Structures are given as structure tokens and as C-alpha cells.
Amino acid sequence: ITKSGGVPTPSKTWNFHGSQEVFHCPDFMCQLPSDSNETSLAKANTTVDEQSNPFFVVSKTAVNLAPASADGSMTVSLRICPLVEGDLSILGVRFSLSGQLWMQHRFHVPGPLLQDTQENKSNRARGKSLELLSKIEPEMPSLNVSIAPDDISQETVLQGQTREWRMTLTNVGYSPASNIVLKTNSPWLNFKDSNESGNENSAISYCIGPSGTLMKVPCKGGVDKALLQPGESVEIPFVMRTSGGGRQDFYMLFRYEREGDSIPPRHRWTRKLLSVPV
């Protein structure tokens, strides 16, 4: 809290990983009543003080707008970051003139045209707009996947040849990732450390089921062998055998879960396509 002319003013700021933007505690705590509907007005008469516990933070900017003329318009970009879980509805924007007079503007975003019935088509009825509505969920992991061959000089492989690759998994999210599973469109992939001998015909492997296209991804290079922590990267070597001629496309679908005790566990998906000239 800083004081300007003897009057306390809020100066809480937030910084988040991966962004240079500075977020501020809102000057008004704006929250809808629990039994409200879309047309209800927000309760925004609670001034923020040192005891406030905001459920969202916003970015602020100061602009100088010229009088009504050809140049009397300006585009301003603002950001909002929720701090609690729940349903978030952006109702409008508040601004102050010369730091003395507070004003507000309520957004009216038209919804999509309804085409389900002839009556709605004739009346050009519109549904509910979802552009300013969000469901805030707990922090989740987010995986980035990159694949590169061990031997970069060997750009083309022969039909039936087994080639070594290296898969890099990076968790760019804010929560540990667990139970990473890979689904492929071809059974010609095997992790090199699936077993001691490295033989794809061994009875011990990371495959799930008899198809050979569903397997558990090992994260043995991480700090925790069962989890991929936020900001952590692991390199996983694997071998893949090509079949047929021409360009072969290997589709990979990764499924991973958020570490926690939620039932059912929250999960996400990541897709990766690998094209190999044969």
C-alpha cells in the first residue's frame, strides 16, 4: 500500500512465469451474486484495500485520447488473469478520467445465429455468446514434444530399416504431468530402455495391450521418474522401423494427466506428426 496525499492507494502487483506483463489488483472487486443471471448487474461497490483477496488481477494502461476528430480513436489491449477456480464472465471495462472520475462500459457481444429451427431462421434469433465466458480450472501441465534423429546426416532411410530417434518432452505448464501414454498408428516403435537387452521381442516392454500401438512413455531422465515437473525436460531415445516406400507418416497422440487426487483425473492431449522419407 502506498500513500498519495495521505490517502492509501493499492499497489499490489503480480508477475507470472513466461510473461513480462505486470498485473495489478483491480480497483474494484466486481462479482455477480450467486443467484444471478446473465442480465444481472455486477456488485462493484467494494473498494480494494490491504485486506482484499482478489479472485482476478488485470493489466492497466494509460492513454491520451485526442478530442473528437479523425484521430479520436485508439485500440487498447488489456489482459486478465484469474486466481481462483470457477466460472469467469467478463462484463465490461472500467476506466477513470484524469484519475478522478470513474466510468464503465458494459460489453454487448451478439451470439451466433441459430439455425436449428425454421422459426429461429426466420426471426434471425441469436444464441448466447460464449466469447466472454470462461471456466477456470486448476493449474494443468502442458507438454511440448519434439523429435529428431540421432544421426542428422541420414535424412532418408531404407525400406524396413530400423533407425534411432530422440524424443524430447518439455512441460511448459504449471503442474506436474503424470501417466504419460502414447498412441501411434503403427506398431514399429519401441523405446530403447524398455528392457535390459533392448530387444523389441522381449516380454518386458512399455506396451499396453497386444496391439503394440499403445505404450507408456518412460520419464527416467527427470527428477521424479513418475512425474514431469513444470519447466522440466527429458530426452527419451527410441527406435522405429519403416515399412513400405515413399513418405511414411507416423501419427502420435500423447495423453497425460495432472498430478493430484481429483476423481476422475484431469487430462490433456498433445498431437505429433513425424514424416519420414523412405
Side-chain angles (χ1 to χ4, degrees), residues 148-169:
D150 272 355
D151 188 1
I152 303 179
S153 61
Q154 188 179 5
E155 297 181 356
T156 305
V157 296
L158 302 178
Q159 182 176 349
Q161 179 182 357
T162 299
R163 186 179 184 184
E164 296 183 355
W165 298 76
R166 189 165 297 273
M167 176 189 303
T168 303
L169 300 180

Side-chain angles (χ1 to χ4, degrees), residues 123-191:
N123 297 331
R124 297 185 60 83
R126 292 185 176 270
K128 183 179 180 180
S129 175
L130 303 179
E131 292 186 12
L132 300 179
L133 300 178
S134 301
K135 185 174 183 62
I136 311 304
E137 297 185 346
E139 294 179 342
M140 292 287 292
S142 180
L143 288 188
N144 282 350
V145 183
S146 61
I147 299 176
D150 272 355
D151 188 1
I152 303 179
S153 61
Q154 188 179 5
E155 297 181 356
T156 305
V157 296
L158 302 178
Q159 182 176 349
Q161 179 182 357
T162 299
R163 186 179 184 184
E164 296 183 355
W165 298 76
R166 189 165 297 273
M167 176 189 303
T168 303
L169 300 180
T170 305
N171 184 4
V172 297
Y174 295 91
S175 179
S178 63
N179 195 22
I180 305 176
V181 180
L182 170 62
K183 173 67 176 178
T184 65
N185 65 329
S186 174
W188 313 121
L189 185 148
N190 185 52
F191 293 109

